[in-house]
Amino acid sequence: MQRRILTVVIAVIILAVIIFSGTSFYLDLLWFKELQAESVFWTQFLARWGLRLAAWLLMFSFIFVNLLITRRQVLSFPNLALRDQFIASGYMRLLTPRRLTVFFLIISAVLSWMFSGFAAGYWMELLRLVHAVPFNVSDPIFGADVSFYVFRLPFYRFIYAFLMLSLILPLILVGLIYLILNPPLQRGYSRLSLLPGPALSHIAALLAGIFALKAWDYRLQQLELVLSDRGIVFGAGYTDIFANLRVLVVLMILAAVIAVLFVANIFLRRPRLLLYGFLALVGVSLLGGALLPAAIQSFVVEPREFALEREYLQHNINFTRRAYGLDNFKTRNYPAREELAWEDLLENPGTINNVRLWDYRPLRDTLNELQAIRLYYRFHDVDIDRYTVDGQYRQVMLAARELDKERLARQAQTWVNLHLQYTHGYGLTMSPVNEVSPEGLPRYFIRDIPPTTVEGLSLEQPSIYFGELTDDYVIVKTNTPEFHYATAGNDNEFTEYDGEGGIPLNSFLRRLLFALKFGEYRIAVSGELTSESRVLFDRDISTRVRKLAPFLRYDNDPYLVIDEGRLFWIQDAYTTTDRYPYATPYGNYNYIRNSIKAVIDAYHGTVDYYIVDPDDPLAATYSRIFPDLFKPFEEMPSGLVQHLRYPEDLFNIQARVTTLYHVTDPSVFYAREDLWAIPNETYEDREQPMEPYYTILQLPGYAEPELVLILPFTPDKRNNMIAWMVARCDQPNYGQVELFLFPKERVVLGPKQVENRIDQSTEISSQFTLWSQAGSRVIRGNLLVLPINDSLLYVEPIFLRAEGGGLPELARVIVVFQETVVMEETLDQALVRIFGAREDLPPAGPEEEPPLLPEEPIGENLAGLIRRAQAVYDEALQRQREGDWAGYGSKIAELEQILEKLAQLVAED
């Protein structure tokens, strides 16, 4: 009875595994077909399971054959004492040739299935080996193309591990069989020495195979020296070449000799030869593998380290710069003049008119307060881009208004609401980076629900079914109307999805399978679903691209783009490897290229991969593997091409590598004489590493303003600025990176020094203190370093937020040039104060004019009261200087009233 119950339980478990595995397989296939990537699915599936089954069959065959070789020994049962026990217990009658063969078959199948499973994880290594594209760069030690290390060596390592496991498993099994069946131990003899000849020959053959494989392993270790991390830098050093390499050659020869001796011993029967060979291998491995390299490093290399390592330092410098793309950087000098006049500002309107005053973090909080419109909408991120608005090239900030279902009232979080009715986000906001309303709030090019846009911009399809917060499934085209947006009063606008995304629920079987997948029985039984209904799942863009192309790395900041009235997400993808010779790793890879851009339609959910760098061998290899997945860059719509950005993650990595590898002279590199660092800046009230920032600049030597990504450098452990790095984003110069070097003979103010000067300004510090006493929290935004006509201008926006929360408002702008530090309500006023008033039109943005879009009514708010307090405070100081003590007292009393209003406002917030 118990046996039957156990059989039923096992059968149910097996059936459940088959059902759930089959469900996942079928629905994933439908998902890939929806994205017109069925070939990608089958390529991955066949490669993974083909390799898995091939490895299983090979291991199974090898184990089974080795067990069959022992069958005669088992059936003869030479261990008489154990044989008598088997006869007494009745087990001996089970030892028939047929039953023993079946038993060996089962053992071989089970063990090989268990131990060969890891092979499936090497499916991409197999495909890359078959479709490899050469790098046309040879390593400096062995002369092998880099593609050997990137594509071939990883798969060779898999083959070695698989074959070694395939030899060790049968060795353990047949060794146990022979030792158990061997007669009892006799005085003066080992059990092994009493094994019959065929058994010894069998074991010797397996050991010969193991040592032959070990010889190959030593050869692979020789080649892997160019990936060594033991020396002064990454890659083979002097000790690796003149000690470790030679030791590995000796070990390879010894292992091969021992393999031959094992084969010869089948006929010679001289086990001492094997013992001597094995001891020699162990001795060389211990002495040569550890002591000799350590001795050479200590007594030969370290006394003359630079002289002996110079060649290998140069290899590391060259290959690291090539692996991270630093060898394509352009370098030029930047004088950082100490003179800058109003005329210089007028010559750079593209720069001054696009100074990014809004910081993305306060702006996101402000948008969530003013533009979320409803509680269940949320702005997850703010992206920076550029658009031509009213004929002007403008830098803007965009944020998608996505649906956050966790913010729905608990009573409203029903299955129908969560998966049938609330299906998508709606619209976005777009704000110019340099414009502020009188209340310290952003102005808009696009705002509200339904979207209101300025002339020249259109948004015809604002629905966001695929985004950064769409991490659940929804079912569209049901009998339940989809919530679109709320209108005036208590009315709502509804819609029905008319896109290309989703898998049709056109049969009960599909409904049942999706019910199993999501663990939701309502999908199978709900009367709200029809044969036209479609399921949209894996909708968040991060999951979507990683499921479609898991072999790529992805940037952490996908960004939203408007093209022809529709919304698209652009996701930067990277090709990486950790097998690039001599290149110093950053994290867990030592080669990276942003060769691929993925474009996701926010409404239809389609995903298109474009190869923007066809010269990248990794991207070319992936294109050979998946020819239907990747498209040439020329096929990307021109409206999307205009919005491509140099990715910030790649820029950060390259910047950190540049801090050391901008140096190409091995002597300077070795001495660390010119080590750079990423400077710190103050955000809010804490220090943090400075972030790269997008801005529109008219770069020195170029005629037109363009979107760039920029970051300054300082010398290591010093605060003055030594260089800045800029990546160009606009076509046809996209991807070009330049390093501007500052003079070393004088000090150029770095971000930390500028922050210190701001802190030392009595005018600014007293104002910060006044705001703090009034219950406001001062938020210091990103410090911007702007190159203008061979000089540098520093700009830092100041935001205010009530201590109890509320809207962050842009209250002041700080501008620093040389010794002058000023803070004013607008950038225009600050520039005029530094460089003197002119009759010319101020360059920093538009004149006072009505907002671009009608502003929301805002009463007397925090920013307005603070401005009044500042004005009254300034008047009080003026009366004090004039000796008008009555006027001074009057102004102080007025200031007290304003502070009381501020306190009330903070308390209300």
Side-chain angles (χ1 to χ4, degrees):
M1 184 64 181
Q2 291 181 348
R3 183 175 296 178
R4 289 183 178 180
I5 294 175
L6 180 61
T7 302
V8 170
V9 170
I10 294 175
V12 169
I13 293 175
I14 293 175
L15 181 62
V17 170
I18 292 174
I19 291 175
F20 282 104
S21 298
T23 298
S24 178
F25 170 83
Y26 178 65
L27 296 183
D28 280 345
L29 175 59
L30 293 180
W31 187 87
F32 276 86
K33 289 181 69 175
E34 173 209 345
L35 293 176
Q36 299 181 353
E38 187 176 0
S39 64
V40 177
F41 175 84
W42 285 116
T43 298
Q44 295 185 35
F45 178 82
L46 293 176
R48 181 182 287 111
W49 280 98
L51 187 58
R52 173 77 168 88
L53 293 176
W56 173 59
L57 288 174
L58 286 173
M59 187 177 288
F60 162 75
S61 301
F62 196 70
I63 294 175
F64 184 58
V65 168
N66 277 275
L67 289 177
L68 283 180
I69 293 173
T70 69
R71 187 172 63 171
R72 178 177 296 180
Q73 182 81 359
V74 174
L75 292 174
S76 65
F77 222 115
N79 190 333
L80 299 180
L82 187 60
R83 182 173 184 171
D84 291 340
Q85 295 179 17
F86 267 56
I87 293 174
S89 61
Y91 290 128
M92 199 64 191
R93 58 187 176 82
L94 300 176
L95 284 179
T96 65
R98 180 181 179 83
R99 288 176 174 174
L100 189 60
T101 301
V102 172
F103 177 73
F104 283 165
L105 189 70
I106 294 173
I107 290 295
S108 301
V110 172
L111 288 178
S112 58
W113 183 259
M114 290 172 54
F115 286 97
S116 65
F118 76 100
Y122 287 85
W123 65 274
M124 179 50 72
E125 282 76 4
L126 172 62
L127 293 176
R128 289 193 297 202
L129 173 74
V130 174
H131 300 279
V133 173
F135 278 70
N136 295 320
V137 175
S138 299
D139 83 87
I141 304 301
F142 302 104
D145 189 85
V146 170
S147 61
F148 170 81
Y149 299 97
V150 175
F151 300 130
R152 295 186 180 278
L153 196 54
F155 195 74
Y156 290 168
R157 270 296 170 200
F158 157 70
I159 294 175
Y160 167 76
F162 172 76
L163 292 178
M164 184 62 76
L165 187 59
S166 299
L167 286 168
I168 290 176
L169 280 177
L171 176 64
I172 294 173
L173 291 175
V174 301
L176 288 174
I177 290 173
Y178 289 136
L179 290 176
I180 290 173
L181 295 178
N182 189 48
L185 194 66
Q186 300 178 19
R187 185 179 302 274
Y189 295 90
S190 69
R191 185 182 294 256
L192 186 62
S193 65
L194 297 177
L195 290 178
L200 285 174
S201 299
H202 189 184
I203 293 175
L206 290 174
L207 288 172
I210 289 174
F211 278 96
L213 268 179
K214 192 60 185 176
W216 187 41
D217 173 49
Y218 287 130
R219 175 54 184 165
L220 296 181
Q221 289 186 46
Q222 296 169 38
L223 297 168
E224 288 172 337
L225 287 176
V226 295
L227 303 172
S228 168
D229 59 357
R230 290 186 294 261
I232 185 174
V233 290
F234 190 84
Y238 183 90
T239 302
D240 286 316
I241 299 302
F242 288 93
N244 290 319
L245 178 59
R246 297 177 180 181
V247 169
L248 288 171
V249 170
V250 173
L251 289 173
M252 179 183 68
I253 295 172
L254 281 174
V257 169
I258 293 174
V260 173
L261 287 176
F262 269 111
V263 175
N265 196 60
I266 297 175
F267 308 97
L268 298 177
R269 302 296 175 90
R270 294 183 180 179
R272 288 190 177 184
L273 290 176
L274 304 179
L275 179 62
Y276 295 154
F278 181 74
L279 291 176
L281 182 69
V282 173
V284 172
S285 179
L286 292 177
L287 297 177
L291 297 181
L292 179 61
I296 290 180
Q297 181 67 29
S298 299
F299 299 107
V300 178
V301 175
E302 290 182 2
R304 304 175 53 216
E305 188 171 53
F306 176 68
L308 297 178
E309 299 281 10
R310 181 187 182 99
E311 174 187 354
Y312 309 106
L313 289 172
Q314 190 66 66
H315 295 332
N316 175 259
I317 293 171
N318 294 341
F319 278 78
T320 299
R321 288 175 58 83
R322 187 180 291 118
Y324 293 97
L326 273 60
D327 58 325
N328 294 321
F329 287 10
K330 297 179 181 178
T331 302
R332 51 181 166 139
N333 294 322
Y334 189 79
R337 294 186 300 113
E338 298 179 352
E339 299 84 23
L340 189 65
W342 187 264
E343 290 74 16
D344 295 308
L345 304 183
L346 295 177
E347 291 175 5
N348 292 268
T351 299
I352 299 300
N353 288 339
N354 287 281
V355 174
R356 181 164 65 85
L357 300 181
W358 279 103
D359 188 289
Y360 68 91
R361 288 156 292 199
L363 180 61
R364 179 180 57 200
D365 295 340
T366 299
L367 294 177
N368 277 313
E369 290 288 338
L370 295 181
Q371 280 293 307
I373 310 297
R374 291 292 186 268
L375 181 64
Y376 38 78
Y377 287 126
R378 180 158 69 94
F379 293 97
H380 173 70
D381 191 21
V382 177
D383 299 314
I384 299 173
D385 205 346
R386 69 285 199 196
Y387 287 79
T388 299
V389 180
D390 196 22
Q392 295 185 358
Y393 186 61
R394 302 295 299 273
Q395 185 180 359
V396 299
M397 287 181 157
L398 303 91
R401 186 184 292 105
E402 296 200 60
L403 188 64
D404 186 354
K405 297 178 184 179
E406 293 182 358
R407 297 189 175 191
L408 288 170
R410 181 172 299 179
Q411 296 80 0
Q413 293 187 14
T414 64
W415 181 77
V416 170
N417 279 341
L418 293 177
H419 300 289
L420 307 186
Q421 188 164 91
Y422 289 91
T423 58
H424 59 280
Y426 190 84
L428 78 161
T429 64
M430 180 188 292
S431 305
V433 298
N434 63 328
E435 296 189 24
V436 187
S437 73
E439 294 80 13
L441 302 175
R443 291 180 172 179
Y444 301 100
F445 288 152
I446 301 178
R447 58 176 288 177
D448 293 343
I449 296 177
T452 305
T453 67
V454 298
E455 186 175 354
L457 293 174
S458 65
L459 186 57
E460 298 172 4
Q461 182 49 268
S463 300
I464 302 175
Y465 284 85
F466 302 86
E468 294 184 272
L469 298 181
T470 51
D471 55 359
D472 62 346
Y473 73 92
V474 296
I475 305 177
V476 296
K477 290 182 175 293
T478 67
N479 292 328
T480 300
E482 297 176 53
F483 173 78
H484 204 33
Y485 60 85
T487 57
N490 295 322
D491 296 330
N492 291 328
E493 186 75 20
F494 294 91
T495 188
E496 181 178 85
Y497 181 69
D498 192 31
E500 301 171 358
I503 298 173
L505 291 175
N506 51 15
S507 68
F508 178 74
L509 176 61
R510 286 193 179 181
R511 293 177 63 168
L512 186 61
L513 292 178
F514 276 110
L516 288 173
K517 176 179 178 63
F518 297 120
E520 180 52 70
Y521 72 93
R522 295 179 181 88
I523 298 177
V525 301
S526 175
E528 295 298 300
L529 308 187
T530 71
S531 60
E532 299 296 322
S533 299
R534 305 173 72 90
V535 181
L536 280 63
F537 66 99
D538 290 336
R539 297 188 299 135
D540 66 289
I541 55 180
S542 175
T543 299
R544 207 164 181 80
V545 294
R546 284 169 173 82
K547 184 175 180 178
L548 195 55
F551 44 87
L552 299 174
R553 290 180 180 269
Y554 294 93
D555 194 87
N556 290 317
D557 185 24
Y559 52 98
L560 194 64
V561 169
I562 303 175
D563 181 37
E564 296 183 352
R566 295 168 55 201
L567 297 176
F568 298 87
W569 297 94
I570 296 181
Q571 172 72 70
D572 287 288
Y574 304 113
T575 56
T576 62
T577 181
D578 61 351
R579 312 290 293 182
Y580 201 90
Y582 270 106
T584 299
Y586 182 88
N588 55 358
Y589 51 85
N590 66 350
Y591 172 94
I592 185 170
R593 290 290 186 275
N594 175 222
S595 303
I596 299 169
K597 306 280 188 180
V599 178
I600 303 96
D601 190 310
Y603 186 70
H604 297 291
T606 57
V607 183
D608 295 305
Y609 287 87
Y610 298 94
I611 295 182
V612 299
D613 183 7
D615 296 329
D616 174 26
L618 273 168
T621 299
Y622 292 140
S623 182
R624 285 185 177 183
I625 298 172
F626 304 104
D628 297 331
L629 179 63
F630 297 102
K631 300 178 181 180
F633 180 55
E634 292 74 20
E635 294 185 14
M636 180 181 284
S638 59
L640 297 177
V641 172
Q642 296 172 6
H643 295 284
L644 295 182
R645 305 185 321 190
Y646 198 88
E648 193 170 344
D649 284 357
L650 175 62
F651 189 84
N652 267 318
I653 293 168
Q654 291 177 321
R656 279 156 177 76
V657 175
T658 298
T659 58
L660 176 59
Y661 285 92
H662 67 278
V663 175
T664 57
D665 185 337
S667 60
V668 178
F669 181 91
Y670 175 77
R672 299 295 196 268
E673 294 178 7
D674 196 14
L675 186 62
W676 294 354
I678 307 297
N680 287 332
E681 65 173 347
T682 301
Y683 177 74
E684 294 194 12
D685 56 353
R686 65 181 184 275
E687 280 194 11
Q688 64 181 28
M690 194 169 188
E691 297 180 354
Y693 50 91
Y694 293 99
T695 188
I696 289 181
L697 287 180
Q698 188 171 331
L699 289 172
Y702 300 105
E704 298 295 330
E706 57 186 300
L707 183 71
V708 297
L709 184 59
I710 189 172
L711 182 70
F713 295 101
T714 62
D716 187 41
K717 299 179 182 179
R718 294 174 58 193
N719 293 324
N720 61 290
M721 195 148 54
I722 193 68
W724 56 278
M725 175 173 154
V726 59
R728 306 174 71 182
C729 300
D730 290 352
Q731 302 294 333
N733 303 307
Y734 174 86
Q736 295 181 11
V737 181
E738 298 190 26
L739 277 175
F740 291 82
L741 307 180
F742 296 152
K744 293 184 178 181
E745 62 272 11
R746 58 185 176 83
V747 173
V748 177
L749 291 179
K752 179 60 178 174
Q753 293 171 320
V754 172
E755 299 280 14
N756 290 339
R757 293 201 173 188
I758 293 173
D759 293 337
Q760 292 167 3
S761 169
T762 55
E763 173 193 354
I764 295 175
S765 60
S766 63
Q767 181 64 68
F768 285 177
T769 301
L770 178 63
W771 282 330
S772 298
Q773 291 174 347
S776 299
R777 183 181 177 187
V778 178
I779 302 174
R780 298 171 66 166
N782 283 129
L783 178 67
L784 307 179
V785 182
L786 305 177
I788 300 176
N789 279 18
D790 293 338
S791 295
L792 293 173
L793 190 67
Y794 306 86
V795 178
E796 182 174 271
I798 302 298
F799 302 87
L800 293 182
R801 186 205 296 266
E803 285 291 352
L807 294 175
E809 300 167 0
L810 182 57
R812 293 290 188 274
V813 178
I814 297 175
V815 177
V816 180
F817 178 70
Q818 295 300 322
E819 303 293 330
T820 307
V821 180
V822 301
M823 183 174 72
E824 293 293 340
E825 292 187 7
T826 67
L827 178 61
D828 292 340
Q829 295 171 357
L831 293 175
V832 168
R833 184 172 166 187
I834 290 181
F835 299 105
R838 290 290 190 275
E839 296 179 357
D840 314 73
L841 179 67
E847 302 179 52
E848 285 295 327
E849 58 183 17
L852 299 173
L853 288 173
E855 296 292 337
E856 301 173 69
I858 299 175
E860 189 173 36
N861 59 12
L862 182 66
L865 288 172
I866 289 172
R867 291 187 179 91
R868 285 179 55 195
Q870 177 64 45
V872 171
Y873 177 71
D874 291 340
E875 291 179 15
L877 293 180
Q878 182 64 29
R879 299 287 175 88
Q880 184 185 42
R881 286 191 290 269
E882 294 173 354
D884 182 2
W885 297 105
Y888 173 76
S890 174
K891 291 298 179 183
I892 291 297
E894 184 179 351
L895 179 60
E896 184 178 358
Q897 295 176 358
I898 296 172
L899 292 178
E900 289 177 356
K901 290 184 179 180
L902 278 170
Q904 293 175 2
L905 184 60
V906 171
E908 291 173 0
D909 288 337

